[in-house]
Amino acid sequence: MTNRGVNLNSMSVRRRALASLCGMSLVLAVSACSSGKETASAPAGQQQNTGKITIVYAQKQGDQEYFIGEAEGAKAKAAELGVDLKVVNLGNDANKAVTEVQNAINQKVSGVIVVVPDPSVGPQLVQLAKTAGVKLLTSDDQVCATGPDPTACPKEQLVPRIGFSGQQMGEQVGKRAGEDFKKAGWKPEETAIIEAWKQDVTVCTDRVKANQEAFKAAAGADVKIIEVGTDNTPSDAQSKISATVSGNRSVKNWIVMGCNDENVAGGVTAIQNSGYAADNIIGVGLGAYLACKEWRGGKATGFKAALFINGSDVGALAVQTLHDHIKNGTPMPAEAFAPTTMVDAANWEAAGVKCA
């Protein structure tokens, strides 16, 4: 027979060997041995990797508390799985993301996990990985294979992502802020909401939109919203929000929400430095790694609550997901989410928040 035909003798031998190995008979197809649970098989044409798996984890803002935790979780999981892992800090440099992915490819790594500083480089990263046959996974922020804007991307063109649900996180933040607003008894006309975030980051925008809707539902009132663009750092948030407060001195009470703890921490500091008391501020963060520093000291603060997101969980899940895909051909999910918990000054320690 030609190489396009089927060698029946060879196929019969392989089937008998696999049947013996699994301890089961074969009727129409051969399935892998398992402990009783079905396991995903490698897609057609994909070879399982039996050698050393090497992964580069390229993170934006690698010196931020959340991403430090994410790297620690990734390293711990890599050690457990026997993966050779290298973590790279991209800072906020989108060009460095491209350079580091190319460096990883040149080093012939098995796969790359990336947290992009700017989603516009997504198509370039996808093409580099595809051309080199290197597996690509994103964590935290979404990346589109065919365009710079993930919000305008067809779902099938979004790169698989590990992280948190922006909508669910935003809903929890907005709900808590709305509930605290009602408890405080503030008048809507004397109150303003500051929403601070890096406005070209898709997951940030998802969070902000969701928390605005959830706030309104929980508060049962319409409150003026002031949107402030930042680079997602405390210093920039503080600077931008200071200017906002100066231009709105008639506001008696402030609510601060945004993409992360950095924006809320900067906002709360700016408002307090402008002469407002902690009782006139409701800041609800996202991360809890900066909020806990306020609570740990026991002093009065406008930082009232935060949604605890554990970067370590995301890092570990990302490494596990890419490892399983490379080693066993397990399909990567379009998105996979880690759990979250709302915390405040009373329960943050019991919830397991690690405060640096």
Side-chain angles (χ1 to χ4, degrees):
M1 293 186 180
T2 68
N3 58 2
R4 291 179 179 270
V6 178
N7 188 322
L8 296 179
N9 288 335
S10 175
M11 183 180 293
S12 177
V13 170
R14 288 197 299 271
R15 284 180 174 174
R16 286 198 301 271
L18 283 166
S20 175
L21 177 62
C22 294
M24 60 185 291
S25 60
L26 296 169
V27 181
L28 296 175
V30 178
S31 64
C33 306
S34 73
S35 59
K37 295 182 180 179
E38 292 184 1
T39 56
S41 58
Q46 179 173 316
Q47 299 296 318
Q48 296 183 348
N49 187 310
T50 57
K52 184 73 172 180
I53 293 176
T54 56
I55 294 174
V56 165
Y57 207 134
Q59 302 172 299
K60 71 176 183 183
Q61 299 175 326
D63 57 352
Q64 187 188 95
E65 293 290 345
Y66 169 81
F67 291 113
I68 291 172
E70 184 175 77
E72 290 173 350
K75 290 173 182 176
K77 179 57 69 173
E80 175 188 325
L81 297 172
V83 170
D84 184 357
L85 177 72
K86 179 183 179 182
V87 178
V88 178
N89 179 11
L90 303 175
N92 287 306
D93 189 343
N95 291 327
K96 189 174 181 181
V98 176
T99 300
E100 291 296 344
V101 169
Q102 184 62 67
N103 288 342
I105 289 169
N106 293 342
Q107 294 163 16
K108 302 188 183 301
V109 299
S110 312
V112 175
I113 305 168
V114 63
V115 189
V116 290
D118 186 325
S120 64
V121 299
Q124 190 173 355
L125 300 183
V126 171
Q127 189 58 50
L128 285 172
K130 182 178 179 181
T131 300
V134 170
K135 305 303 179 184
L136 181 66
L137 175 68
T138 64
S139 74
D140 303 287
D141 299 339
Q142 286 185 314
V143 165
C144 181
T146 55
D149 182 5
T151 62
C153 187
K155 287 187 177 181
E156 66 274 11
Q157 294 300 326
L158 289 170
V159 177
R161 179 178 79 92
I162 305 297
F164 298 98
S165 166
Q167 180 175 344
Q168 291 177 9
M169 289 192 297
E171 287 172 353
Q172 292 180 71
V173 168
K175 181 174 182 289
R176 176 58 183 259
E179 291 170 347
D180 284 359
F181 167 81
K182 287 185 71 174
K183 289 178 183 177
W186 293 350
K187 295 179 181 179
E189 63 272 18
E190 297 178 347
T191 306
I193 298 170
I194 287 181
E195 289 278 14
W197 80 104
K198 192 172 189 295
Q199 296 175 348
D200 61 353
V201 176
T202 310
V203 293
C204 286
T205 302
D206 290 344
R207 296 170 191 177
V208 168
K209 287 181 178 178
N211 69 38
Q212 290 179 5
E213 294 174 4
F215 174 88
K216 185 176 180 179
D222 284 313
V223 176
K224 177 183 178 180
I225 298 173
I226 303 173
E227 297 184 343
V228 179
T230 73
D231 65 3
N232 278 350
T233 65
S235 59
D236 193 52
Q238 182 176 341
S239 174
K240 301 288 178 57
I241 292 171
S242 289
T244 300
V245 173
S246 294
N248 291 273
R249 296 304 302 187
S250 62
V251 174
K252 293 183 178 180
N253 306 299
W254 291 97
I255 295 165
V256 188
M257 298 183 286
C259 179
N260 53 20
D261 256 25
E262 282 77 5
N263 281 290
V264 177
V268 168
T269 299
I271 297 168
Q272 291 181 166
N273 287 350
S274 297
Y276 288 82
D279 287 343
N280 296 104
I281 306 166
I282 295 173
V284 182
L286 208 160
Y289 42 83
L290 295 183
C292 66
K293 295 180 179 181
E294 296 289 314
W295 303 329
R296 183 173 57 189
K299 65 180 180 179
T301 176
F303 214 143
K304 297 300 193 295
L307 188 66
F308 176 34
I309 56 175
N310 193 345
S312 178
D313 290 341
V314 172
L317 183 56
V319 170
Q320 181 76 65
T321 299
L322 190 54
H323 165 273
D324 292 350
H325 180 63
I326 294 167
K327 184 175 179 61
N328 304 319
T330 305
M332 290 191 287
E335 289 186 299
F337 303 131
T340 59
T341 307
M342 184 62 68
V343 296
D344 54 30
N347 70 350
W348 67 273
E349 290 179 290
V353 178
K354 294 181 180 178
C355 206

